PDB file of all heavy atoms in Angstrom:
ATOM      1  N   SER A 221     -26.218 -23.149  16.544  1.00 98.00           N
ATOM      2  CA  SER A 221     -25.098 -22.749  15.670  1.00 98.00           C
ATOM      3  C   SER A 221     -24.915 -21.226  15.655  1.00 98.00           C
ATOM      4  O   SER A 221     -23.840 -20.733  15.323  1.00 98.00           O
ATOM      5  CB  SER A 221     -25.288 -23.291  14.245  1.00 98.00           C
ATOM      6  OG  SER A 221     -26.411 -22.684  13.636  1.00 98.00           O
ATOM      7  N   ALA A 222     -25.948 -20.487  16.043  1.00 98.00           N
ATOM      8  CA  ALA A 222     -25.842 -19.016  16.120  1.00 98.00           C
ATOM      9  C   ALA A 222     -24.753 -18.603  17.100  1.00 98.00           C
ATOM     10  O   ALA A 222     -24.155 -17.534  16.965  1.00 98.00           O
ATOM     11  CB  ALA A 222     -27.179 -18.411  16.550  1.00 98.00           C
ATOM     12  N   LEU A 223     -24.493 -19.466  18.082  1.00 98.00           N
ATOM     13  CA  LEU A 223     -23.489 -19.129  19.107  1.00 98.00           C
ATOM     14  C   LEU A 223     -22.096 -18.996  18.512  1.00 98.00           C
ATOM     15  O   LEU A 223     -21.211 -18.382  19.095  1.00 98.00           O
ATOM     16  CB  LEU A 223     -23.468 -20.189  20.214  1.00 98.00           C
ATOM     17  CG  LEU A 223     -24.788 -20.404  20.971  1.00 98.00           C
ATOM     18  CD1 LEU A 223     -24.663 -21.566  21.936  1.00 98.00           C
ATOM     19  CD2 LEU A 223     -25.181 -19.129  21.712  1.00 98.00           C
ATOM     20  N   LYS A 224     -21.910 -19.593  17.334  1.00 97.00           N
ATOM     21  CA  LYS A 224     -20.585 -19.488  16.695  1.00 97.00           C
ATOM     22  C   LYS A 224     -20.304 -18.062  16.227  1.00 97.00           C
ATOM     23  O   LYS A 224     -19.177 -17.724  15.908  1.00 97.00           O
ATOM     24  CB  LYS A 224     -20.512 -20.453  15.517  1.00 97.00           C
ATOM     25  CG  LYS A 224     -20.516 -21.905  15.938  1.00 97.00           C
ATOM     26  CD  LYS A 224     -20.241 -22.761  14.739  1.00 97.00           C
ATOM     27  CE  LYS A 224     -20.235 -24.211  15.060  1.00 97.00           C
ATOM     28  NZ  LYS A 224     -19.930 -25.019  13.887  1.00 97.00           N
ATOM     29  N   ASN A 225     -21.360 -17.250  16.166  1.00 94.00           N
ATOM     30  CA  ASN A 225     -21.174 -15.841  15.805  1.00 94.00           C
ATOM     31  C   ASN A 225     -20.839 -14.980  17.028  1.00 94.00           C
ATOM     32  O   ASN A 225     -20.696 -13.772  16.898  1.00 94.00           O
ATOM     33  CB  ASN A 225     -22.459 -15.272  15.177  1.00 94.00           C
ATOM     34  CG  ASN A 225     -22.736 -15.870  13.810  1.00 94.00           C
ATOM     35  OD1 ASN A 225     -21.794 -16.187  13.074  1.00 94.00           O
ATOM     36  ND2 ASN A 225     -24.009 -16.041  13.470  1.00 94.00           N
ATOM     37  N   HIS A 226     -20.775 -15.593  18.190  1.00 98.00           N
ATOM     38  CA  HIS A 226     -20.526 -14.836  19.427  1.00 98.00           C
ATOM     39  C   HIS A 226     -19.043 -14.922  19.798  1.00 98.00           C
ATOM     40  O   HIS A 226     -18.411 -15.956  19.618  1.00 98.00           O
ATOM     41  CB  HIS A 226     -21.394 -15.418  20.553  1.00 98.00           C
ATOM     42  CG  HIS A 226     -21.458 -14.570  21.780  1.00 98.00           C
ATOM     43  ND1 HIS A 226     -20.446 -14.535  22.716  1.00 98.00           N
ATOM     44  CD2 HIS A 226     -22.414 -13.716  22.230  1.00 98.00           C
ATOM     45  CE1 HIS A 226     -20.773 -13.712  23.687  1.00 98.00           C
ATOM     46  NE2 HIS A 226     -21.969 -13.196  23.425  1.00 98.00           N
ATOM     47  N   LYS A 227     -18.535 -13.825  20.354  1.00 98.00           N
ATOM     48  CA  LYS A 227     -17.076 -13.747  20.601  1.00 98.00           C
ATOM     49  C   LYS A 227     -16.606 -14.440  21.871  1.00 98.00           C
ATOM     50  O   LYS A 227     -15.425 -14.706  22.036  1.00 98.00           O
ATOM     51  CB  LYS A 227     -16.663 -12.263  20.706  1.00 98.00           C
ATOM     52  CG  LYS A 227     -16.661 -11.542  19.388  1.00 98.00           C
ATOM     53  CD  LYS A 227     -15.873 -10.227  19.541  1.00 98.00           C
ATOM     54  CE  LYS A 227     -16.035  -9.342  18.324  1.00 98.00           C
ATOM     55  NZ  LYS A 227     -17.406  -8.766  18.222  1.00 98.00           N
ATOM     56  N   ASN A 228     -17.529 -14.706  22.810  1.00 98.00           N
ATOM     57  CA  ASN A 228     -17.070 -15.217  24.100  1.00 98.00           C
ATOM     58  C   ASN A 228     -17.929 -16.391  24.589  1.00 98.00           C
ATOM     59  O   ASN A 228     -18.726 -16.257  25.516  1.00 98.00           O
ATOM     60  CB  ASN A 228     -17.079 -14.061  25.118  1.00 98.00           C
ATOM     61  CG  ASN A 228     -16.289 -14.384  26.358  1.00 98.00           C
ATOM     62  OD1 ASN A 228     -15.822 -15.511  26.536  1.00 98.00           O
ATOM     63  ND2 ASN A 228     -16.159 -13.403  27.241  1.00 98.00           N
ATOM     64  N   VAL A 229     -17.749 -17.531  23.912  1.00 98.00           N
ATOM     65  CA  VAL A 229     -18.513 -18.727  24.274  1.00 98.00           C
ATOM     66  C   VAL A 229     -17.553 -19.796  24.799  1.00 98.00           C
ATOM     67  O   VAL A 229     -16.530 -20.064  24.183  1.00 98.00           O
ATOM     68  CB  VAL A 229     -19.262 -19.304  23.048  1.00 98.00           C
ATOM     69  CG1 VAL A 229     -19.944 -20.631  23.400  1.00 98.00           C
ATOM     70  CG2 VAL A 229     -20.296 -18.319  22.530  1.00 98.00           C
ATOM     71  N   THR A 230     -17.907 -20.362  25.948  1.00 98.00           N
ATOM     72  CA  THR A 230     -17.152 -21.512  26.464  1.00 98.00           C
ATOM     73  C   THR A 230     -18.093 -22.703  26.496  1.00 98.00           C
ATOM     74  O   THR A 230     -19.175 -22.625  27.085  1.00 98.00           O
ATOM     75  CB  THR A 230     -16.623 -21.239  27.899  1.00 98.00           C
ATOM     76  OG1 THR A 230     -15.798 -20.074  27.843  1.00 98.00           O
ATOM     77  CG2 THR A 230     -15.821 -22.411  28.415  1.00 98.00           C
TER      78      THR A 230
END
Side-chain angles (χ1 to χ4, degrees):
S221 66
L223 301 175
K224 292 188 180 182
N225 291 327
H226 192 281
K227 287 196 190 71
N228 195 353
V229 174
T230 302

